[in-house]
Amino acid sequence: MLKKERYAAFIDYFSYHMPIAKTELMYENPFQLLIAVVLSAQCTDKRVNMVTPAIFRDFPTPQHLAASNFEELFPYIKSISYPNNKTKHLLGLGKKLVEEFHGEVPSTVEELIKLPGVGRKTANVITSVVWNQPNMAVDTHVFRVSKRLGLVNQNTKTPLEVEKDLVKNIPKKYIHIAHHWLILHGRYICLARNPKCLECPIKHFCGYFEKNKEKIIEQANASPTTKR
C-alpha cells in the first residue's frame, strides 16, 4: 500500500469511527490544561488527574502560582514523576505568565515555549486542544503508532521529523484531532511491547501488520490464552 493510500485510509477510518476525540486530561480552562500537560511528561494521564483537582482548587490562577514557593507547592506534586523539576517549572511558568503575558496563557507555539517546562510538544498540545490550531504534538504514542502504521518513514529519528511528516500529509482540518487518534490508538491497541494486532480495527492498512502478519498469527495460535 502506498503512503498516500495509508493516509487516506487512516483519515477515513477515524473521521467516521472517532469524529470526536479529546485529551483524557481533566481541565476547565487553558491554564489548567497547561498545568496538566506539564505534569503529564513521562507520567500517565490517570495519575495526573488524581493530583490536579487539589492544585486547581488551591492555585486557580497564574497569580496564585507566582505567589507560591517550592515548599508550599511540592506536596501537591510529590506523587508525580520528577516532582522537583515539575514543581520548579510550575512556579516559573506562573511568574512568567504574570510578568510577560498579563496572566493569560499565550496562544502561539512561539510564545508558549518561552515558559519554563514547556517544550514544543506541550505547546503543540495546548494550541491544538484549546484553539484547534493545526499543530501535531508528537509523544511516544504518536511517534510509535505513526511509524508502525507506515504514515512516516521507518528511518525517521526525531519527534520533529515525525511532526513535519504528519502535518504535511494530514489534511489541515484534521491535524488537531489526528493527534488524539494516534495517542488513543497507541494507548489502548497499538501498545509498545505487545500490540493487540489481531483485534486492531485498522490492521488492514497497517505497515507493521502487513510485514509481520504470518509471525503474529503463528504466535497467537501457539499461545495458550488465544481465544478460539
Side-chain angles (χ1 to χ4, degrees):
M1 180 179 285
L2 297 175
K3 185 175 180 179
K4 183 177 180 179
E5 294 173 326
R6 292 192 200 280
Y7 271 100
F10 171 74
I11 296 299
D12 287 346
Y13 177 84
F14 282 104
S15 61
Y16 179 80
H17 292 278
M18 200 183 294
I20 298 175
K22 58 184 180 180
T23 179
E24 294 184 315
L25 292 169
M26 297 187 304
Y27 73 99
E28 294 182 353
N29 56 56
F31 176 61
Q32 290 185 356
L33 179 62
L34 179 59
I35 290 176
V37 177
V38 169
L39 292 178
S40 72
Q42 297 184 359
C43 187
T44 66
D45 288 0
K46 182 178 180 180
R47 168 57 61 180
V48 172
N49 288 337
M50 292 172 66
V51 305
T52 49
I55 298 174
F56 297 161
R57 180 194 66 218
D58 296 342
F59 304 91
T61 68
Q63 288 78 6
H64 286 85
L65 269 186
S68 185
N69 56 61
F70 187 92
E71 289 71 25
E72 184 180 8
L73 182 60
F74 180 80
Y76 294 82
I77 301 174
K78 63 182 181 180
S79 65
I80 295 286
S81 59
Y82 306 102
N84 288 344
N85 285 340
K86 290 179 180 178
T87 299
K88 295 174 182 177
H89 289 331
L90 291 188
L91 293 171
L93 72 82
K95 289 182 173 62
K96 195 86 167 180
L97 287 174
V98 171
E99 295 172 357
E100 297 190 21
F101 298 101
H102 308 290
E104 299 292 331
V105 176
S107 61
T108 68
V109 170
E110 292 72 23
E111 290 176 313
L112 281 163
I113 60 177
K114 295 178 182 179
L115 301 173
V118 178
R120 185 175 183 85
K121 182 188 75 173
T122 296
N124 280 339
V125 170
I126 302 301
T127 54
S128 64
V129 170
V130 177
W131 293 286
N132 292 338
Q133 293 179 19
N135 297 327
M136 174 63 65
V138 179
D139 67 355
T140 56
H141 295 303
V142 174
F143 191 87
R144 177 180 71 255
V145 174
S146 60
K147 292 184 72 171
R148 279 186 180 166
L149 289 178
L151 298 178
V152 301
N153 296 330
Q154 297 305 303
N155 60 357
T156 302
K157 302 297 184 183
T158 68
L160 182 58
E161 289 177 313
V162 170
E163 176 190 332
K164 289 181 177 180
D165 210 352
L166 291 172
V167 169
K168 177 182 177 181
N169 290 284
I170 295 175
K172 189 174 182 179
K173 67 177 182 178
Y174 290 117
I175 293 174
H176 72 283
I177 194 172
H179 159 73
H180 299 300
W181 292 340
L182 290 164
I183 284 180
L184 294 172
H185 190 68
R187 185 170 291 165
Y188 297 108
I189 300 293
C190 194
L191 309 180
R193 294 186 178 181
N194 297 299
K196 302 176 182 179
C197 293
L198 292 183
E199 62 183 83
C200 177
I202 60 174
K203 58 180 176 291
H204 59 285
F205 64 83
C206 174
Y208 177 85
F209 184 76
E210 182 181 286
K211 182 179 180 180
N212 299 283
K213 181 177 180 179
E214 292 184 4
K215 180 180 178 181
I216 291 169
I217 294 176
E218 181 182 339
Q219 290 177 340
N221 289 334
S223 173
T225 59
T226 300
K227 296 181 180 180
R228 298 182 183 279

